[in-house]
Amino acid sequence: MLLIPCPFCGPRDESEFGCGGEAHIARPTDTDRLSDADWAAYLFMRKNPKGVHLERWVHRLGCRRWFNLARSTVSHEILAVYKMGDPPPASVAGQEARRT
Amino acid sequence: MPAKTRYSIFSLVRNAFSYHENWEEAWRSPEPRPEYDVIIVGGGGHGLATAYYLAKEHGITNVAVLEKGWIGGGNTGRNTTVVRSNYLWDESAHLYEHALKLWEGLSQELNFNVMFSQRGLLNLAHSPHEMRGLARRVYALNLNGIDSELLNLEQVRAMCPILNFSPKARYPIYGASLQRRGGVARHDAVAWGYARGADARGVDIIQNCEVTGFQISNGKVHGVETTRGTIRANKVGVVAAGHSSVLADLAGFRLPIQSHPLQAAVSEPVKPILDTVVMSGAVHVYVSQSDKGELVLGAGIDSYNSYSQRGSPKVVEDMFGALVELFPIFSRLKVLRTWGGIVDVCPDASPIIGRTPVEGLYFNCGWGTGGFKATPSSGWVFAHTIANDRPHPLNEAFGLERFSSGHLIDEHGAAAVAH
Ligand SMILES: Cc1cc2nc3c(=O)[nH]c(=O)nc-3n(C[C@H](O)[C@H](O)[C@H](O)COP(=O)(O)OP(=O)(O)OC[C@H]3O[C@@H](n4cnc5c(N)ncnc54)[C@H](O)[C@@H]3O)c2cc1C
Ligand SMILES: [Zn+2]
């Protein structure tokens, strides 16, 4: 069971949270000119690293706010928590492909 | 290649005289050769079935199956073995029904008892809306000539009297759909039977050999890098389930797949009490009884990505909660063990089988929570795809292109929880 540090409420049990998948996916702005392949990339293609994953979580049964986590998909260790809209902290940025 | 001893009552008796100490090995463990015609990455049921049908149906025997651990040690050996073909859309119904037909003759075909038991399979409905959803699926299946029927409450009660039929039950039962030809099989035996059959036809099964990279030049694959050296081949088929994205990364393209833990459990063994498979999509549990007497239970996936082959206790707890609501009689059974596997979940709950942006490289993945039942047809169509460099009619609709063409095959109703 994960112990997730909500940036607003502090550490809480995983069962209070919902996982929203990969973080930092920006909706394309030039949608009228987007190719089918680019639509597919935006809608369906996802990072799925064996290592550090940057992902969104929502504190569903708490403050109900969204935030970002950097978490290892191998050890489940939570490496960083940061707010929506913030870039990943330097300590984890660029580590996504690296295995832990 | 020396022919294998046929398994039969006579070979059993003959070997009894030497205390069963002289059975020949079911497959060899050769050193990898420097080059093959086809390399299959992943020695699960699907990879081994692919190699078997490459050799048997297409005469391609210079084949290696490379497995990073031991064969069948991935999801094949971790799954809850539900076999059925009651999927909604034509494309899936045909693919899974082809598998079910192959299952029906598989023990004979492989001369290996895969213990396929067509004990029938009930999908419960807990609301009128769910009942309507099941009716739609049953009618669609019947139009495709696939056996499936709707049962009312009394018919469900006659078939499985230990369910909680109280109108005050937390999950009241309205009825069910039934596929009588569905059932369960012995997971390990499927891997071993295909391995033995492939080996007998000349396929090299190489365990403890992890693929760590692909040799690609000018958009074509020429071989793989492994922990046991470089092995060349101009055709490579990847069937790596939960590790598909990792391998696609190595080959330089993306997949719409997410790897999630999927957990299961068995109870202590008890005398025969459940002679069919019961599943409830709405409350996330399904159960059958193994030949050893254990209840075999499965849950839904954990919500987060993982490669750790374990999930959170919360998911199993919810599963047990749903089980004892449905079957109060099971409430005092003890749990023997729980475990997890890493499943490759696709956005439309359908597999991806076909060519990739790299020439000569083929992927078969995205089976997610429900690919065991498809093992025979998955191997069948993938062997065809590799041998002919184009899909079999049964897997034409399952290419990676569907995510840009928009032709998704949404099987969440048939696949999501009920594996
Ligand atoms: C708990 C659980 C319950 C399930 N229940 C059912 C069910 O009731 N019915 C059903 O139909 N399906 C079920 N499934 C799904 C089913 O198990 C899978 O869809 C199916 O077994 C996939 O078969 P496979 O051969 O592709 O995968 P696997 O058996 O996982 O084989 C893939 C193999 O690839 C190997 N591999 C990975 N990376 C590499 C590499 N780099 N180099 C070499 N080898 C590599 C792995 O070690 C593994 O052995 C369940 C799954 C789980 C986890
Ligand atoms: Zn909070």
Side-chain angles (χ1 to χ4, degrees):
Chain A
M1 191 84 90
L2 308 181
L3 185 63
I4 297 177
C6 173
F8 311 101
C9 313
R12 297 289 182 87
D13 198 288
E14 175 196 328
S15 54
E16 294 184 13
F17 296 84
C19 182
E22 183 181 335
H24 307 297
I25 298 175
R27 190 177 198 281
T29 45
D30 51 346
T31 49
D32 46 348
R33 265 166 292 138
L34 216 57
S35 70
D36 289 349
D38 287 338
W39 268 120
Y42 164 65
L43 288 171
F44 301 120
M45 300 301 162
R46 291 292 176 267
K47 289 180 182 161
N48 188 15
K50 186 172 184 175
V52 180
H53 192 223
L54 306 179
E55 57 199 18
R56 300 167 307 167
W57 285 77
V58 58
H59 194 181
R60 209 164 43 186
L61 306 179
C63 62
R64 304 182 64 188
R65 284 201 267 183
W66 285 88
F67 56 91
N68 293 316
L69 271 192
R71 187 181 58 89
S72 162
T73 60
V74 179
S75 66
H76 293 181
E77 186 190 354
I78 293 169
L79 303 159
V81 189
Y82 55 102
K83 293 194 176 159
M84 292 308 279
D86 284 357
S91 57
V92 296
Q95 268 198 40
E96 278 172 282
R98 195 189 303 164
R99 297 192 179 187
T100 49
Chain B
M1 210 50 52
K4 295 245 184 299
T5 311
R6 261 194 83 73
Y7 292 154
S8 68
I9 183 73
F10 304 109
S11 61
L12 194 66
V13 171
R14 198 158 51 246
N15 278 278
F17 288 114
S18 52
Y19 305 98
H20 297 294
E21 284 169 0
N22 295 320
W23 284 99
E24 70 184 28
E25 56 187 5
W27 57 85
R28 301 157 296 130
S29 293
E31 281 302 310
R33 276 182 265 151
E35 182 163 7
Y36 290 91
D37 291 341
V38 178
I39 288 173
I40 301 297
V41 182
H46 290 215
L48 294 162
T50 306
Y52 175 83
Y53 292 119
L54 271 173
K56 171 143 192 266
E57 301 296 326
H58 305 279
I60 302 175
T61 55
N62 185 20
V63 175
V65 177
L66 309 182
E67 165 54 52
K68 77 178 157 92
W70 63 96
I71 60 168
N75 292 344
T76 298
R78 292 161 191 270
N79 88 95
T80 46
T81 78
V82 173
V83 174
R84 60 191 173 88
S85 66
N86 54 358
Y87 284 67
L88 176 66
W89 299 106
D90 295 353
E91 295 86 347
S92 344
H94 294 315
L95 184 60
Y96 289 98
E97 176 63 12
H98 184 61
L100 189 47
K101 286 186 176 145
L102 291 172
W103 276 110
E104 286 170 334
L106 199 58
S107 292
Q108 313 303 325
E109 161 86 22
L110 298 176
N111 178 227
F112 203 101
N113 189 358
V114 298
M115 297 168 76
F116 181 44
S117 156
Q118 293 179 289
R119 56 184 68 178
L121 174 147
L122 287 170
N123 273 81
L124 300 179
H126 301 291
S127 69
H129 314 88
E130 230 186 318
M131 204 59 208
R132 255 173 256 149
L134 287 183
R136 177 189 181 207
R137 185 133 57 91
V138 166
Y139 300 148
L141 283 158
N142 291 164
L143 287 172
N144 274 319
I146 296 170
D147 84 294
S148 195
E149 45 200 284
L150 272 182
L151 302 189
N152 64 28
L153 182 61
E154 285 319 309
Q155 291 167 307
V156 179
R157 195 199 301 272
M159 218 180 135
C160 188
I162 56 173
L163 278 162
N164 184 356
F165 290 100
S166 159
K168 290 205 209 114
R170 178 154 179 210
Y171 308 123
I173 294 166
Y174 278 74
S177 70
L178 167 66
Q179 184 171 33
R180 293 190 194 272
R181 287 162 63 240
V184 291
R186 171 82 201 279
H187 48 14
D188 296 323
V190 175
W192 299 337
Y194 274 121
R196 177 166 170 269
D199 177 274
R201 287 171 173 77
V203 171
D204 282 0
I205 293 163
I206 298 160
Q207 307 185 77
N208 298 310
C209 181
E210 179 173 356
V211 170
T212 53
F214 295 95
Q215 292 196 325
I216 296 170
S217 61
N218 301 323
K220 286 171 79 162
V221 72
H222 300 292
V224 296
E225 310 287 349
T226 80
T227 46
R228 292 171 70 172
T230 303
I231 309 177
R232 292 192 308 276
N234 288 330
K235 287 187 173 187
V236 178
V238 174
V239 212
H243 277 76
S244 301
S245 300
V246 175
L247 285 151
D249 260 356
L250 292 174
F253 61 91
R254 299 183 76 189
L255 290 174
I257 282 180
Q258 300 278 274
S259 296
H260 288 271
L262 178 65
Q263 303 186 73
V266 290
S267 75
E268 59 186 324
V270 289
K271 289 196 171 166
I273 179 136
L274 184 64
D275 63 359
T276 185
V277 184
V278 177
M279 35 182 56
S280 166
V283 301
H284 285 219
V285 70
Y286 60 94
V287 57
S288 65
Q289 189 172 18
S290 76
D291 293 341
K292 281 185 286 182
E294 305 152 330
L295 295 182
V296 182
L297 309 164
I301 56 170
D302 278 76
S303 65
Y304 48 79
N305 290 31
S306 173
Y307 285 86
S308 75
Q309 292 189 323
R310 66 193 152 84
S312 295
K314 176 189 181 303
V315 173
V316 243
E317 194 182 335
D318 289 351
M319 166 182 89
F320 290 129
L323 178 81
V324 298
E325 284 290 343
L326 287 177
F327 294 91
I329 194 174
F330 293 155
S331 66
R332 275 165 296 170
L333 277 182
K334 294 193 177 69
V335 178
L336 264 195
R337 57 184 185 278
T338 73
W339 67 91
I342 298 303
V343 296
D344 39 341
V345 175
C346 216
D348 57 357
S350 287
I352 299 169
I353 319 165
R355 301 170 53 166
T356 67
V358 180
E359 212 183 310
L361 181 62
Y362 309 86
F363 263 60
N364 180 352
C365 58
W367 290 96
T369 61
F372 176 71
K373 65 177 72 64
T375 305
S377 64
S378 165
W380 180 280
V381 299
F382 200 41
H384 181 105
T385 306
I386 295 171
N388 300 295
D389 192 37
R390 60 164 188 277
H392 186 278
L394 283 172
N395 68 312
E396 228 161 7
F398 291 91
L400 191 50
E401 320 79 59
R402 74 176 184 271
F403 296 96
S404 36
S405 72
H407 292 99
L408 302 196
I409 305 165
D410 180 1
E411 285 293 356
H412 282 101
V417 179
H419 311 315

